[in-house]
Structures are given as structure tokens and as C-alpha cells.
Amino acid sequence: MRIFSGIQPTGRKHLGNYIGAIRQYVDGQERGDAIYSIVDLHATTVSYDPAELRRTVLDTTAMLLAAGVDPERCILFRQSDVHEHTELCWLLCSVTAHGDLNRMHQFKEKSARQRELVSAGLFVYPVLMAADILAYQTEEVPVGDDQRQHVELTREIARRFNERFGETFVIPRHRIPEVGARIMDLQEPTSKMSTTAPSDAGVILVLDDPDTIRTKVKRAVTDTGREIVRDPERKPGISNLIEILAAVRDVSPQQVEAEFEGRGYGEFKQAVAEAVVEYLAPVRERYEELRPDEAGLERTLREGADKAREIASATMRQVRAAMGVGPTP
Ligand code: AQP
């Protein structure tokens, strides 16, 4: 089975990214033919610093390797090294409805937050994501819940292309984890934990040291009650902590509720903090070892891009032929 997913190169990956996506990448290597991309072109759709982008691509590469993504068992590459993505994005624009792009929640949220230019790139972002996925004839896309709508649109684009130009693309499906699909901000548990949150206080970064993690969990917003039960409407803070503990221990939220029945919030928060510290510590340590070797990281990305290009260029030959673009094949 072909698996593909992309991750933006922000150096500040958080627990939501880790649980929602990164750990599924590691699991995907066991289940199929996995391809993962550091999507630097997506990062140019909001304001950014070019020198920092180069650095954060390497940060994210080192983080994925530290988490257990293994270039011997998957393809790991930088999106901009494989030009087929941008060409396919343009060609897919011809079967993408403007109205569909207008309905994308992420565009609405991110464009509202942009203080300067709202770029056309931000609007077309989901088409580039569709190109990333479809270029590899992907069957399964491991993502967090916030990407559900984008994967749905990718399916629609693929269907429309196949109808218009003949069977070309595999129709992919998302793989969203049952537990931890949407980790919420610890200070604002009705909003998802996000790289671009106004403050770090509610965001557990994968590279946070143990004491910072403990402080953030201790200060997590909860309600005035005492019960440790999952009820996202009435108890969003406690529900989020239950979800986090269940995800890092790999148990069900019901097991967490049963274990902490009749125990106080303080004890519960301490257990969550220690579980998260223990969960992230090996990743942080391994990251510190890997990150300095920039030449090695670049080599990994280059070798990955060579393998990715081979697959994507075969798809592009089919797409060009189907669309009547370029010389007669
Ligand atoms: N809070 C979350 N819970 C579970 N999964 C999440 N993901 C993101 N936030 C959560 C999943 O992480 C993967 C990588 O996301 P990305 O490439 O969009 O990286 P990002 O920009 O760093 O993610 P953020 O934090 O969501 O930033 P904003 O909101 O500013 O764009 C994806 O599979 C995503 O679903």
C-alpha cells in the first residue's frame, strides 16, 4: 500500500503534530510503502524568513529521524527538490472548483490571521497538497483531523480529473488516528494546539525540556469540577488531558477515566506531565545528536528526492499525455 504525508518545516513541532501525524509516519513504514515530504513550498504561503526556512527544513528532518522515521524503510524528501509537485499543482488547478477552495476552513482561518498580504498561494495551498498526494498514486494519507477537509478535496480533484481525462489517479483516503486526532491548546482547550498560537503557554513543543512540560501541564486550564471524565462540551480542558494521556500511553480514553476515577485534578495532571516527559525525552535527546550533522541531513533529503522524483515523473508523463500537454508521447 502506498502511503504519503507532508509536514510543514516549522522547527517548533508540537505534541499535536507528534501524536496526530509524526508517530503515524513511523507506524506507516511497517504497514506500507511510505513517502514523507517536508513541504517547504507550503511554508511560503504565509510570511516567512528565507534563511530560517532553510534551517527549519533541517530541524524538521532531524525531528522526523529522531522520532523513528527511517530513510532505509521509507522515502523522506524536501518538496521543492521535486519539481513535479508544482507542475502537477498547476495542471490540477484546471479541475479544481474555485468555490471548493473558497470553502476551505484553513484558508478562512489563516487569511483572517494574516496581517500583511493574503497570498494567492494560501488560497491554492490545497491544490498543491492534492498534487503532493496524487503524484505518488497514494492510497492512504496519515494526517490529523484538521486536514480532513483538504484530503476530501484531494479526492474530489482526483475524481474530477479521472472523469475529464480518463482513469489516471488512485483516489486516496485519509488515516486519522482514533485517539489524538485533534490535540487542543492547554490554555485554550477549544482551539487546536497550533504552531501559530499567540502564546506558547498552551503548546507543548516536542523539544521542550521536562520542567517546561511540567509547568505547562500544571497550568493547563481545567473546569471547577472534580470529575475526570471525557466531556468535550462541558470539560474541554480535562477531556484534552485525558486524550493526551491515552495517546501517549497507547490506551483508550475510557481506561484513563477508569484509572483516575475519584482522584483529584492535581494528581491527574502530574501523571499526564510525567507521561509526556517520558514520551518526548528520547526524541529530544536523539534530535540533539542528529541536528548538528547538516551535511548528513542534506544527503538524506537529496537521496530521498531522487527516489521520489522517479515515481512522480512517471505520474507526470501519464498526466501530460492525458491532458494533451507537451509533445505527443
Ligand atoms: N493539534 C493537532 N492535533 C493533532 N494533529 C495535528 N496536526 C497539526 N495540529 C494538530 C497535524 O500535524 C501534521 C503536520 O501539520 P502541518 O504540516 O500543518 O504543520 P504545522 O503548520 O506546524 O501545524 P499546525 O500547528 O496545525 O500549524 P497551523 O495551524 O499554524 O498551520 C498534519 O497532519 C496535521 O493534521
Side-chain angles (χ1 to χ4, degrees):
M1 182 180 42
R2 175 63 53 73
I3 297 171
F4 176 92
S5 194
I7 184 161
Q8 294 204 63
T10 49
R12 296 157 27 90
K13 288 296 157 203
H14 51 74
L15 188 64
N17 299 134
Y18 199 89
I19 292 173
I22 298 174
R23 75 174 189 172
Q24 293 204 80
Y25 297 176
V26 179
D27 169 66
Q29 300 176 138
E30 308 299 328
R31 292 185 305 103
D33 165 18
I35 305 177
Y36 303 122
S37 181
I38 318 269
V39 291
D40 55 342
L41 298 175
H42 279 97
T44 66
T45 59
V46 290
S47 42
Y48 76 100
D49 175 59
E52 197 183 317
L53 179 59
R54 285 237 163 75
R55 274 198 304 278
T56 55
V57 166
L58 299 184
D59 292 344
T60 307
T61 307
M63 175 149 307
L64 294 182
L65 298 177
V69 169
D70 177 1
E72 300 288 319
R73 291 188 294 159
C74 70
I75 297 176
L76 175 63
F77 72 103
R78 169 171 38 211
Q79 182 188 32
S80 62
D81 290 345
V82 181
H83 297 175
E84 282 75 2
H85 291 236
T86 40
E87 185 186 357
L88 183 55
C89 171
W90 178 253
L91 295 175
L92 292 179
C93 280
S94 71
V95 286
T96 305
H98 182 273
D100 284 346
L101 292 178
N102 251 334
R103 277 189 283 279
M104 294 294 114
H105 307 308
Q106 185 172 293
F107 175 72
K108 288 184 195 159
E109 286 157 20
K110 289 199 173 177
S111 57
R113 281 206 304 258
Q114 270 308 109
R115 295 224 180 80
E116 296 160 22
L117 176 81
V118 176
S119 71
L122 191 59
F123 189 67
V124 179
Y125 183 115
V127 192
L128 181 57
M129 179 164 158
D132 299 339
I133 295 168
L134 299 178
Y136 298 95
Q137 303 292 8
T138 301
E139 291 165 83
E140 192 182 278
V141 190
V143 282
D145 186 62
D146 60 323
Q147 293 300 322
R148 185 188 293 270
Q149 196 187 29
H150 285 166
V151 180
E152 279 303 321
L153 180 63
T154 299
R155 290 165 61 83
E156 181 57 25
I157 291 172
R159 274 193 221 107
R160 216 176 277 144
F161 188 101
N162 288 351
E163 262 171 38
R164 168 78 179 84
F165 298 110
E167 279 306 310
T168 305
F169 292 118
V170 169
I171 312 288
R173 60 180 182 276
H174 59 64
R175 183 182 171 93
I176 296 177
E178 273 177 32
V179 178
R182 183 175 283 266
I183 300 295
M184 310 305 266
D185 188 286
L186 301 185
Q187 288 298 317
E188 237 182 279
T190 49
S191 308
K192 82 173 180 112
M193 193 175 280
S194 160
T195 313
T196 43
S199 144
D200 266 3
V203 180
I204 297 179
L205 300 175
V206 176
L207 299 180
D208 274 343
D209 60 63
D211 282 341
T212 306
I213 295 175
R214 289 188 185 105
T215 307
K216 286 179 179 177
V217 175
K218 197 170 167 195
R219 295 192 182 148
V221 167
T222 51
D223 52 273
T224 49
R226 287 187 51 82
E227 284 186 308
I228 297 167
V229 289
R230 205 155 62 131
D231 181 350
E233 290 280 303
R234 282 195 318 113
K235 297 166 81 75
I238 284 293
S239 302
N240 189 36
L241 293 176
I242 292 175
E243 187 95 0
I244 290 173
L245 188 54
V248 303
R249 282 196 184 161
D250 214 3
V251 298
S252 71
Q254 291 76 9
Q255 280 171 284
V256 172
E257 287 172 333
E259 181 181 340
F260 287 91
E261 201 183 335
R263 291 158 78 177
Y265 283 178
E267 198 184 337
F268 174 56
K269 280 181 165 181
Q270 203 176 340
V272 174
E274 290 315 316
V276 174
V277 164
E278 204 178 303
Y279 186 66
L280 294 181
V283 184
R284 202 179 78 245
E285 282 160 24
R286 185 109 182 86
Y287 175 88
E288 300 301 342
E289 283 166 28
L290 292 165
R291 181 60 183 86
D293 181 14
E294 298 204 340
L297 296 172
E298 281 290 355
R299 191 171 51 248
T300 298
L301 293 175
R302 206 170 42 246
E303 289 171 1
D306 289 344
K307 294 183 203 158
R309 199 175 299 114
E310 234 173 79
I311 304 170
S313 62
T315 305
M316 282 315 296
R317 277 194 291 279
Q318 270 180 281
V319 171
R320 284 169 145 257
M323 290 185 78
V325 168
T328 309

